[in-house]
Amino acid sequence: MHTLQFPAYISKPSFIQQAHKEINSFAGTITKNVDAKVLQSFGEEWEKFHDFNDIDIDKIAAEYFDIIPESLFSPDTKALDVGCGSGRWTKYLSQKVGVVDAVDPSDAIYAADELLKSSPNIRLTKATTEALPFEDNTYDLVVSIGVLHHIPDTLGAMKDCVSKVKPGGYFYTYLYYDLDNRGLLFRSIFKLSDLLRKAVCRFPGKLKKATCDFLAIFLYMPFILLSRAFKALGFKKLSDKTPLSIYRNKSFFIIRNDALDRFGTKLEQRFTRQEIHEMLTACGLTEVTFSDNAPYWHAIAKKP
């Protein structure tokens, strides 16, 4: 049987025994590049949305991981998932690689304990990007998916992640795009929705969750149904250009989750493709590859 050991920690953690796994905690060691309210928000989000089924995970992962080199999907690969949330991407990766270290600074790590309970090749760690408790140049693949745009200093957090990639390894990320490949109408609709986000994110927890469920039904679903109708009628290009078209093949659970993710968070930064490319190269990475497909933008680059 093929076995691969987890990398050693560089300092001693405190241990939090959960129902299924032991969580290794380095919480509170370094918290400069962290927004406390954002951490609380994501802890609440993943407490509500943690029960992902394998069908949903595999369907979405096919969109996110379309540019991962097949050579990395190997039992010899050590992977690190920074900002794992409930652990849905961690679970997908764990079926493709040898071991995965799943790290999150929020209470989402406790939700991950439930989702990842049947995956022995996953280790859970509570830590910030500034305090990743592993030696530099350790992992074949480091991923941070939909996370770094919620951190005050995105480039600084990216450098922290890249430092853990071994020479010849890869860093993969997904960052919210700045609508740089969209037209004026799409941008105008987005600006209106962003004004709404800035109000909703300030609501108390229960009201915020209820409001985002309302938005999933009455804001998301009309656009999604329109996109589905255009596609069914054979107007694929028009369907693709419809706002929220990426959700036309998603379950309502995913739509509700992403509505809360989108409108419930106060800190949201957006980047153009060029800006992301510049950040990746500023981290010393080469061979930067972007996917031309949604979600925008996700990219992978190599550490020379």
Side-chain angles (χ1 to χ4, degrees):
M1 182 178 177
H2 189 100
T3 59
L4 191 60
Q5 295 295 317
F6 289 104
Y9 287 121
I10 57 176
S11 58
K12 188 175 180 180
S14 58
F15 300 107
I16 305 171
Q17 185 60 52
Q18 290 296 291
H20 309 289
K21 291 181 178 288
E22 187 176 69
I23 294 174
N24 306 277
S25 179
F26 297 84
T29 52
I30 304 177
T31 57
K32 289 182 181 179
N33 196 16
V34 171
D35 187 300
K37 289 186 177 180
V38 171
L39 284 191
Q40 180 183 353
S41 175
F42 279 111
E44 292 171 351
E45 174 184 338
W46 296 121
E47 180 184 13
K48 179 176 181 178
F49 293 103
H50 63 271
D51 191 20
F52 292 91
N53 62 58
D54 290 343
I55 294 174
D56 275 343
I57 291 174
D58 289 344
K59 183 183 294 185
I60 304 173
E63 298 173 351
Y64 279 87
F65 294 113
D66 58 331
I67 52 174
I68 300 286
E70 283 296 325
S71 60
L72 286 174
F73 291 148
S74 160
D76 295 319
T77 295
K78 293 180 182 178
L80 170 63
D81 183 0
V82 181
C84 67
S86 65
R88 51 181 173 168
W89 309 129
T90 310
K91 186 173 185 180
Y92 178 82
L93 284 174
S94 72
Q95 301 165 20
K96 304 285 187 178
V97 303
V99 296
V100 187
D101 270 309
V103 179
D104 200 281
S106 78
D107 288 349
I109 200 72
Y110 305 125
D113 174 67
E114 177 64 30
L115 184 66
L116 305 175
K117 61 186 177 183
S118 301
S119 304
N121 62 333
I122 295 173
R123 179 173 60 177
L124 301 180
T125 303
K126 190 173 187 181
T128 65
T129 56
E130 303 158 280
L132 295 172
F134 315 104
E135 294 284 356
D136 290 351
N137 305 312
T138 294
Y139 294 91
D140 304 287
L141 174 64
V142 175
V143 304
S144 188
I145 304 167
V147 174
L148 300 182
H149 45 237
H150 296 304
I151 296 177
D153 179 5
T154 296
L155 177 58
M158 186 181 291
K159 288 180 177 178
D160 291 332
C161 295
V162 171
S163 69
K164 305 307 172 185
V165 181
K166 66 171 56 174
Y170 290 83
F171 174 67
Y172 168 91
T173 192
Y174 159 57
L175 296 174
Y176 285 165
Y177 73 137
D178 199 23
L179 284 74
D180 42 313
N181 63 342
R182 296 295 190 178
L184 179 61
L185 177 60
F186 195 105
R187 287 168 172 266
S188 299
I189 293 172
F190 170 79
K191 285 183 178 180
L192 290 174
S193 73
D194 202 47
L195 290 174
L196 183 59
R197 176 188 66 82
K198 290 176 181 178
V200 173
C201 72
R202 299 177 184 274
F203 292 175
K206 289 184 178 179
L207 177 60
K208 180 165 62 177
K209 292 175 185 177
T211 301
C212 290
D213 279 345
F214 178 90
L215 292 173
I217 298 170
F218 294 103
L219 178 62
Y220 276 58
M221 287 308 300
F223 284 113
I224 294 167
L225 292 174
L226 182 62
S227 178
R228 288 174 180 173
F230 283 144
K231 187 178 181 183
L233 293 170
F235 303 121
K236 186 176 184 303
K237 287 186 178 180
L238 195 55
S239 175
D240 291 343
K241 290 182 179 181
T242 303
L244 304 173
S245 61
I246 192 174
Y247 293 105
R248 68 187 175 213
N249 65 339
K250 304 297 190 300
S251 69
F252 189 54
F253 179 84
I254 297 295
I255 294 166
R256 290 174 59 227
N257 176 197
D258 281 12
L260 179 58
D261 189 87
R262 170 72 180 88
F263 287 93
T265 307
K266 78 178 189 70
L267 177 59
E268 176 190 286
Q269 303 181 78
R270 288 182 171 267
F271 303 93
T272 66
R273 178 170 173 156
Q274 180 61 33
E275 287 171 335
I276 297 170
H277 191 286
E278 290 172 357
M279 285 194 289
L280 291 169
T281 55
C283 293
L285 299 171
T286 61
E287 301 181 29
V288 178
T289 301
F290 282 84
S291 175
D292 291 324
N293 302 317
Y296 307 113
W297 295 106
H298 57 287
I300 190 167
K302 189 174 185 179
K303 190 171 188 177

